[in-house]
Amino acid sequence: MNQRLGGDASLNAAIGDDGASGEWQDRLVDESPDQETTLAASEEFDNRCKALSDALTELNERERRIFEKRRLADEPVTFAELAEEFGVTRERVRQIEVRAFEKVQNSVQHHIVMMQTPPLQQTG
């Protein structure tokens, strides 16, 4: 009992008497992501938000409203509700949504390619 309550112990101390088991610090695992991983994830999220924001500017007002209400809302609005709002058929709303999605997808892909392509060096 005295040995257990003996105060501070080194993490560099051997686990077993034979020393083959390793040290106590070898058993410690930090599950949290390191700073580089956290920063990279944050930058990736920011880049994706910027790409989506830029892509939405390429849509006209009707396309943007339909896209946002169908794809970005927590509870998507039905085709019938949007058809009534815009005075068109449900099929037309679906077509507009598909076209808007394709525009956004192409714009985001273009944005990603532009980010991955190094700028050209100008020679003077």
Side-chain angles (χ1 to χ4, degrees):
M1 184 62 137
N2 286 337
Q3 193 176 29
R4 288 186 187 166
L5 299 175
D8 296 337
S10 173
L11 292 175
N12 295 102
I15 293 175
D17 292 333
D18 60 359
S21 299
E23 299 176 350
W24 285 107
Q25 71 179 357
D26 296 336
R27 306 266 176 149
L28 299 176
V29 178
D30 184 7
E31 303 278 336
S32 63
D34 60 15
Q35 290 179 339
E36 290 178 14
T37 303
T38 303
L39 179 62
S42 175
E43 287 178 351
E44 178 71 19
F45 179 76
D46 291 345
N47 288 338
R48 288 175 185 235
C49 287
K50 172 119 176 67
L52 178 59
S53 178
D54 290 348
L56 291 177
T57 64
E58 295 186 17
L59 303 177
N60 65 40
E61 184 63 29
R62 181 168 70 167
E63 291 170 333
R64 184 171 34 258
R65 288 186 40 84
I66 290 172
F67 184 83
E68 288 173 348
K69 288 185 174 202
R70 291 282 304 158
R71 298 285 181 137
L72 302 179
D74 289 335
E75 295 181 24
V77 178
T78 65
F79 287 130
E81 292 171 313
L82 290 170
E84 185 176 318
E85 177 182 336
F86 291 106
V88 295
T89 65
R90 290 179 295 186
E91 175 59 20
R92 182 65 184 133
V93 171
R94 188 194 66 75
Q95 292 169 354
I96 293 169
E97 178 192 10
V98 168
R99 191 175 79 215
F101 181 76
E102 289 171 352
K103 284 182 178 181
V104 168
Q105 194 173 29
N106 290 336
S107 178
V108 167
Q109 287 173 349
H110 176 73
H111 183 84
I112 290 170
V113 167
M114 295 304 292
M115 286 178 42
Q116 293 174 347
T117 306
L120 294 174
Q121 297 279 334
Q122 291 184 357
T123 57

